[in-house]
Amino acid sequence: MVFYILLIIFLLAIIYLLLVPIVFYIDTSTNQYFIKIKGLLKASIEPDEAEIFKIHFKVFFFNFFVYPLQKKKRSKTKAVKTNTSKKRGDKRIPFKKVFRVLKSFKIKQFQLDIDTGDCISNSKLYPIFAFLNFYRGHHLGVNYEGRNKILLSVENRPIRMIRSFINI
């Protein structure tokens, strides 16, 4: 009886992990950059005074920081390298599969507001952005005030990535 309950809980956890949305979010106006697996994990990049940036992880109820640019302490003993060079086979992923996986991502929100610094270039971009706003429904804008902003929110689910990779 306990075995069946544990098996059902395990299968439900696997189904949840396959269906949970993964969100990539970039907002340059508020300096928010994060990857979130809803209900499980959130990894965000935050500025730091001592280092350039730090990565803030929230896993369930635990919060911790990682400093990726910090120098690691070297151990006093050095590992001896052996000169055994094995020839690796050609294990490249075909471009078609990579493209199919990229197509499985859904853009939830996209806004772009740019100023190129040249009023002539801005004037040339204005009709293109107006055309794209009309037909694609994006929020693209050109300004003459020196503001550059991008907001991008992309979502995907692991089951969609696996399905597009396998080509079902």
Side-chain angles (χ1 to χ4, degrees), residues 68-155:
L69 300 178
Q70 204 172 43
K71 288 187 177 181
K72 295 182 181 180
K73 295 179 182 175
R74 301 268 179 165
S75 63
K76 292 181 181 179
T77 60
K78 292 186 178 181
V80 177
K81 287 187 177 181
T82 59
N83 195 5
T84 58
S85 60
K86 295 182 180 178
K87 202 169 196 181
R88 296 172 78 184
D90 190 16
K91 296 187 180 193
R92 295 182 186 172
I93 300 172
F95 181 72
K96 286 184 178 182
K97 284 190 178 187
V98 172
F99 189 68
R100 279 197 316 258
V101 170
L102 286 176
K103 280 178 41 177
S104 70
F105 284 84
K106 303 292 182 205
I107 297 175
K108 293 294 183 182
Q109 197 173 19
F110 179 66
Q111 294 179 2
L112 178 66
D113 191 20
I114 64 168
D115 181 14
T116 61
D118 181 22
C119 62
I120 304 298
S121 298
N122 286 352
S123 301
K124 290 178 181 178
L125 284 176
Y126 191 81
I128 296 169
F129 282 9
F131 176 77
L132 290 173
N133 284 337
F134 184 73
Y135 285 105
R136 298 293 293 176
H138 296 298
H139 299 285
L140 305 174
V142 177
N143 66 65
Y144 296 90
E145 301 169 355
R147 286 189 325 259
N148 290 316
K149 175 182 114 171
I150 186 167
L151 184 136
L152 178 65
S153 178
V154 179
E155 184 177 296

Side-chain angles (χ1 to χ4, degrees), residues 21-38:
I22 301 171
V23 177
F24 300 97
Y25 187 83
I26 297 172
D27 188 0
T28 58
S29 64
T30 60
N31 288 332
Q32 289 184 339
Y33 312 97
F34 62 83
I35 298 172
K36 179 173 28 173
I37 300 174
K38 291 191 176 179

